[in-house]
Amino acid sequence: MASPTLITPTSKLKPLLPIKARATQTPPSPPPHQQPLRRQFLCLAAAAAATTTASLALGGVQSAFAASDEEYVKETAEVINKVRSTINMDKNDPNIASAVAELREASNSWVAKYRREKALLGRASFRDMYSALNAISGHYISFGPTAPIPAKRKARILEEMDTAEKALSRGR
């Protein structure tokens, strides 16, 4: 026996009801002038970024190199004094966070300026300063600007500062 839904050559087809289209709201298309403005903005932003990058690469890198040996000695001595004054601050001092921020900024600029100098990489003063600044930065990054430096680490940092200062006075 044939199923009523099965189409056979003898069955009569019923007409299909027309499908009514629902009234859907399509989002309005953006006006045609917005896309070129977006492209213009992206092109200008890319050009500005490229110009900034190029000017920093050309101007910033050249000014980052050490001008002379006297400048290296002077700036290293300044960083040594800043390290000593910051490390020896009382842990309850209200200015310690700002002093640590200044120290980190000074140490970052010192490292960025002198680590590219091939002539300085072999110097004992550079090696000791770099090691001490690395220890200080690592401590403050890990534990925060108000955390006191442990006595053993503090002694090692101050010893490296002393040896760096001696090496600077000897021209090493």
Side-chain angles (χ1 to χ4, degrees):
M1 180 156 224
S3 166
T5 58
L6 186 64
I7 300 178
T8 59
T10 58
S11 63
K12 293 197 177 190
L13 297 175
K14 296 180 183 176
L16 297 174
L17 297 174
I19 300 174
K20 293 182 182 178
R22 291 183 188 165
T24 58
Q25 293 182 357
T26 58
S29 62
H33 70 282
Q34 277 187 347
Q35 192 168 6
L37 287 177
R38 192 177 309 135
R39 276 194 201 122
Q40 283 179 333
F41 172 75
L42 291 175
C43 289
L44 288 174
T51 304
T52 304
T53 305
S55 67
L56 286 176
L58 295 176
V61 171
Q62 289 175 350
S63 64
F65 288 126
S68 66
D69 192 51
E70 293 84 26
E71 181 182 355
Y72 168 75
V73 171
K74 183 181 95 138
E75 289 184 8
T76 304
E78 289 173 4
V79 173
I80 288 173
N81 291 334
K82 191 169 285 218
V83 166
R84 284 189 178 137
S85 66
T86 304
I87 284 181
N88 291 325
M89 288 179 85
D90 186 31
K91 67 178 181 179
N92 297 325
D93 191 344
N95 299 325
I96 192 152
S98 62
V100 168
E102 289 176 14
L103 173 63
R104 289 194 58 213
E105 185 177 328
S107 67
N108 286 342
S109 64
W110 185 89
V111 168
K113 186 172 186 176
Y114 294 115
R115 77 170 158 208
R116 291 187 188 99
E117 292 286 329
K118 300 289 184 196
L120 299 177
L121 293 179
R123 285 187 171 192
S125 61
F126 178 82
R127 182 188 63 236
D128 291 336
M129 276 297 296
Y130 190 87
S131 175
L133 292 176
N134 192 26
I136 293 168
S137 293
H139 172 79
Y140 288 128
I141 286 171
S142 298
F143 303 110
T146 57
I149 296 180
K152 193 172 183 181
R153 184 177 296 153
K154 184 177 180 180
R156 190 194 76 163
I157 290 170
L158 291 174
E159 181 183 333
E160 286 177 341
M161 290 291 129
D162 291 338
T163 57
E165 200 169 37
K166 287 177 187 172
L168 274 178
S169 66
R170 295 177 183 158
R172 296 183 186 171

